[in-house]
Amino acid sequence: MKKYLSSIFISFLLCNSVNAQGLLDQKTPLFTRQDTLRGSITKERAWWDVKRYHLDIKVNLKDSTITGSNTIKYQVVQEYNSMQIDLQNPMNIYKVTQNGEDLEFKREGNAFFIALKEPQVKGSIKELTVFYGGKPKVAVNPPWDGGITWKKDKNGTPFIASSCQGLGSSVWWPNKDHMYDEVENMLISVNVPANLTNVSNGRLQSVKTLKDGTKTYNWYVANPINNYGVNINIGDYVTFSEKYKGEKGNLDCTYYVLKENLEKAKKQFQDVPKMLKAFEHWFGPYPFYEDSYKLVEAPYLGMEHQSSVTYGNGYQNGYRGSDLSGTGWGLKFDFIIIHESGHEWFANNITYKDIADMWIHESFTNYSESLFLEYYYGREAGYTYVRGLRNIIENDKPIIGKYDVNNEGSGDMYPKGANMLHTIRQLVNSDEKWRGILRGLNSTFYHQTVTTKQIEDYLSKQTGIDLSMVFNQYLRDTRIPSFEYYLDNNTLKYRWINIITGFNMPVKVLLNGTEISLNPISEWSEFNNSKKIESVVLDSNFYVGDKKIEK
């Protein structure tokens, strides 16, 4: 979860993004080789497919270090003998082994290149172990400027958590740190002092007490998981649980909170089964029944870690007690519970291949907030909420970023992306068809990494509408289309302005109180009415402007 605000939002700092060819011109940012190594599918990444990680670490509270290993099981896709593993400074890899032999490696910034000795035969399954350690970057302003948060609770007990979207999971553990290749399953073993509990993704398999009195928590993730979704949460936790009877049977829901917040959590977390009911209605079954659902208190606002959603919203409704939409509807639910859990469908189930396409995560999830409201309070509640979010759109730069350099687009991917989807819903003009499309997205791309093109093509095909110009206008340009018109007795003359070449989206208007559908283009068109036209009101559910001129 990344969010921005001017007053109640946190400033969301992003690099400039590059325009699509033929669209709005933007200043091209400068990128380094490190950006390319981080953001592209290098030849040292492309030849192997990650199958399983076993992350086995010790969290050392005295010196704020993490030490341990990651055993990587992989399949050879094509023969090659150099493997890229990512680990960010000041962390360091000090040994790599395969079949009992030490391997040579060299470091280039945050990328390590391992020279493999034995033949890497296409189709074969291999394994190697990376040993590492050091002081990971301290999170300055988590989750936006992430890393590891080292705090203490009110009783002075350590309260520690990871958060690393955008920055990358390699800030605290070594892996193939590119979103295109999700590991198929994972074992996470975390050793902590005996008085603390570690909560990670998936299901707890065992807790082992070592001779030194410390405990190792072993968590197993049965489903594919994106790298930044892997997390550790360490604290003096108490827990309670319930079973949600969902579309695929009983879903285990477990909650981990600090002792002093237990009673508040039991009340506030009642939003969880409500969320599950609404989102299973709109999006289909919760995608990770095998791994359960957990909500875990964290020392920062919150994040969409898969099956281990973190929470720090102060046990209050809204976004830190505020309504982002300014409509009042945002205070009807706990923003962090609803938004971050919505990411289980859009981010963790359907995951972008390249962070330039981060809108796939954030636009749909921001839109899911209005769908939650609609499910419980009616269509107009959801519609009012999503329209209210327009007040925080900045239109500063395109929503899609630059590919292959780990570059995010505009923070408008949240409210503007949600309003783009809301506009497309108006074009579909059928609630059940729209719901079927959203559910179809989650079944068609179940547990997959995707590109913008795949999502655009799917939506165009399923809606039966060529949406290419809509996506180009809202995702790749900063201008908002404006419906320009003037009246001449019984005739309405109209056109689109402030648009990309070829933009041709239909729109609904109330003409003398009667709804009609128009198909503006960049040239003047006209509609002849049987009576003099007294009023023209644009349907506010289309995210467009309007401009009446006098002639």
Side-chain angles (χ1 to χ4, degrees):
M1 190 277 294
K2 288 191 168 185
K3 205 67 182 169
Y4 70 99
L5 284 171
S6 53
S7 56
I8 58 174
F9 278 83
I10 295 173
S11 179
F12 188 29
L13 302 178
L14 299 165
C15 299
N16 288 326
S17 58
V18 177
N19 60 294
Q21 187 174 2
L23 301 179
L24 187 69
D25 189 27
Q26 296 282 329
K27 182 179 179 182
T28 303
L30 298 175
F31 295 105
T32 67
R33 174 165 166 76
Q34 281 298 303
D35 295 322
T36 300
L37 289 176
R38 171 75 173 85
S40 65
I41 304 174
T42 62
K43 61 183 180 180
E44 292 83 6
R45 284 172 168 162
W47 68 270
W48 60 285
D49 175 29
V50 62
K51 295 294 184 181
R52 186 175 189 267
Y53 290 134
H54 178 196
L55 181 62
D56 187 2
I57 63 173
K58 181 180 181 65
V59 179
N60 307 287
L61 304 185
K62 290 183 179 180
D63 58 4
S64 300
T65 61
I66 294 177
T67 55
S69 65
N70 186 20
T71 298
I72 304 169
K73 185 177 182 179
Y74 63 95
Q75 184 171 27
V76 180
V77 177
Q78 61 188 54
E79 295 183 12
Y80 201 66
N81 64 353
S82 179
M83 174 183 285
Q84 178 180 338
I85 295 295
D86 305 287
L87 185 65
Q88 298 178 30
N89 279 307
M91 302 294 281
N92 195 31
I93 293 174
Y94 57 86
K95 184 168 72 169
V96 181
T97 63
Q98 187 166 52
N99 290 332
E101 288 193 75
D102 288 355
L103 302 179
E104 293 183 357
F105 57 89
K106 63 179 181 179
R107 181 170 200 166
E108 184 178 348
N110 295 326
F112 289 77
F113 297 97
I114 302 166
L116 302 170
K117 292 181 179 180
E118 60 186 56
Q120 304 294 306
V121 180
K122 184 177 180 179
S124 61
I125 303 294
K126 300 283 187 178
E127 192 172 275
L128 59 75
T129 302
V130 177
F131 298 88
Y132 80 107
K135 285 189 175 183
K137 177 183 178 296
V138 175
V140 177
N141 185 26
W144 304 277
D145 187 357
I148 303 296
T149 298
W150 307 86
K151 286 191 175 181
K152 292 186 177 181
D153 63 21
K154 293 180 180 179
N155 300 315
T157 305
F159 193 21
I160 301 161
S162 61
S163 57
C164 54
Q165 185 183 12
L167 178 64
S169 55
S170 56
V171 73
W172 66 278
W173 63 284
N175 61 85
K176 187 181 193 177
D177 201 2
H178 192 289
M179 297 292 287
Y180 89 99
D181 190 7
E182 289 188 342
V183 67
E184 294 179 7
N185 57 76
M186 185 169 181
L187 178 62
I188 306 167
S189 301
V190 182
N191 179 257
V192 296
N195 64 321
L196 299 176
T197 298
N198 172 72
V199 184
S200 291
N201 316 80
R203 291 184 182 269
L204 183 61
Q205 286 198 323
S206 64
V207 181
K208 296 184 178 179
T209 301
L210 306 188
K211 291 181 180 179
D212 61 3
T214 61
K215 292 182 177 179
T216 297
Y217 289 79
N218 296 295
W219 295 86
Y220 178 68
V221 185
N223 290 295
I225 184 169
N226 63 61
N227 293 334
Y228 81 80
V230 177
N231 73 342
I232 55 173
N233 303 281
I234 301 167
D236 185 17
Y237 288 121
V238 293
T239 185
F240 61 101
S241 62
E242 63 183 321
K243 289 187 183 294
Y244 173 76
K245 294 183 178 180
E247 290 192 15
K248 289 178 66 175
N250 288 332
L251 172 63
D252 293 320
C253 300
T254 309
Y255 311 109
Y256 291 84
V257 299
L258 298 181
K259 289 180 179 179
E260 63 266 25
N261 293 326
L262 179 59
E263 293 308 313
K264 287 188 289 186
K266 286 181 177 180
K267 179 181 178 181
Q268 192 70 10
F269 289 3
Q270 291 176 24
D271 263 4
V272 170
K274 290 179 63 179
M275 171 276 300
L276 290 166
K277 186 176 182 180
F279 287 169
E280 286 206 330
H281 169 83
W282 285 109
F283 304 141
Y286 176 74
F288 307 105
Y289 271 74
E290 300 84 356
D291 290 324
S292 78
Y293 172 92
K294 296 188 297 298
L295 191 60
V296 187
E297 186 170 359
Y300 60 89
L301 185 59
M303 193 69 199
E304 69 258 26
H305 302 114
Q306 185 173 308
S307 72
S308 181
V309 176
T310 47
Y311 176 87
N313 199 39
Y315 299 97
Q316 59 190 327
N317 281 359
Y319 177 93
R320 290 176 166 166
S322 298
D323 175 14
L324 302 185
S325 73
T327 65
W329 288 110
L331 295 177
K332 296 292 186 180
F333 62 93
D334 189 311
F335 177 90
I336 292 300
I337 294 176
I338 304 309
H339 181 92
E340 302 309 336
S341 299
H343 276 306
E344 293 283 55
W345 284 265
F346 294 98
N348 299 335
N349 184 36
I350 304 174
T351 308
Y352 57 66
K353 288 185 186 293
D354 191 300
I355 200 170
D357 291 334
M358 189 174 168
W359 77 272
I360 297 169
H361 292 197
E362 301 302 349
S363 297
F364 280 97
T365 304
N366 194 252
Y367 179 59
S368 76
E369 299 158 23
S370 69
L371 295 179
F372 175 86
L373 284 168
E374 180 174 344
Y375 186 84
Y376 287 103
Y377 299 99
R379 181 202 276 186
E380 191 52 39
Y383 276 26
T384 301
Y385 178 83
V386 73
R387 292 195 305 261
L389 295 174
R390 295 173 187 173
N391 294 324
I392 54 178
I393 297 173
E394 297 182 352
N395 289 312
D396 55 342
K397 57 187 175 181
I399 285 174
I400 293 180
K402 173 69 173 175
Y403 292 102
D404 297 325
V405 287
N406 198 47
N407 176 242
E408 302 167 12
S410 169
D412 280 348
M413 69 180 77
Y414 295 83
K416 184 178 178 180
N419 273 279
M420 177 190 72
L421 295 172
H422 186 61
T423 298
I424 293 173
R425 179 181 182 178
Q426 311 314 306
L427 299 176
V428 173
N429 202 30
S430 168
D431 291 347
E432 279 309 300
K433 184 175 181 179
W434 182 238
R435 175 175 169 244
I437 290 169
L438 296 175
R439 290 175 67 94
L441 274 168
N442 278 279
S443 59
T444 301
F445 300 108
Y446 183 73
H447 290 179
Q448 293 182 34
T449 59
V450 300
T451 64
T452 282
K453 186 178 188 307
Q454 287 176 281
I455 300 301
E456 289 183 0
D457 289 350
Y458 182 87
L459 288 174
S460 287
K461 181 179 179 180
Q462 297 303 316
T463 60
I465 305 168
D466 181 359
L467 295 169
S468 57
M469 289 297 108
V470 175
F471 291 122
N472 284 342
Q473 183 75 53
Y474 289 98
L475 296 178
R476 299 177 176 91
D477 199 273
T478 60
R479 293 169 292 177
I480 299 305
S482 185
F483 179 77
E484 185 178 55
Y485 70 96
Y486 67 93
L487 303 177
D488 184 9
N489 293 317
N490 293 12
T491 301
L492 169 68
K493 297 190 177 182
Y494 59 91
R495 67 178 179 178
W496 284 126
I497 60 172
N498 215 32
I499 56 172
I500 62 171
T501 302
F503 183 76
N504 58 352
M505 185 180 75
V507 69
K508 296 175 186 176
V509 298
L510 287 176
L511 200 68
N512 290 349
T514 300
E515 182 179 278
I516 63 171
S517 182
L518 301 174
N519 293 280
I521 55 176
S522 59
E523 304 299 324
W524 286 107
S525 301
E526 63 180 46
F527 177 84
N528 296 306
N529 198 37
S530 59
K531 298 179 180 180
K532 182 179 179 180
I533 301 173
E534 303 289 349
S535 65
V536 178
V537 180
L538 197 67
D539 187 333
S540 62
N541 291 301
F542 288 77
Y543 180 42
V544 296
D546 66 305
K547 180 182 180 183
K548 182 180 180 181
I549 59 175
E550 302 295 335
K551 284 203 174 183

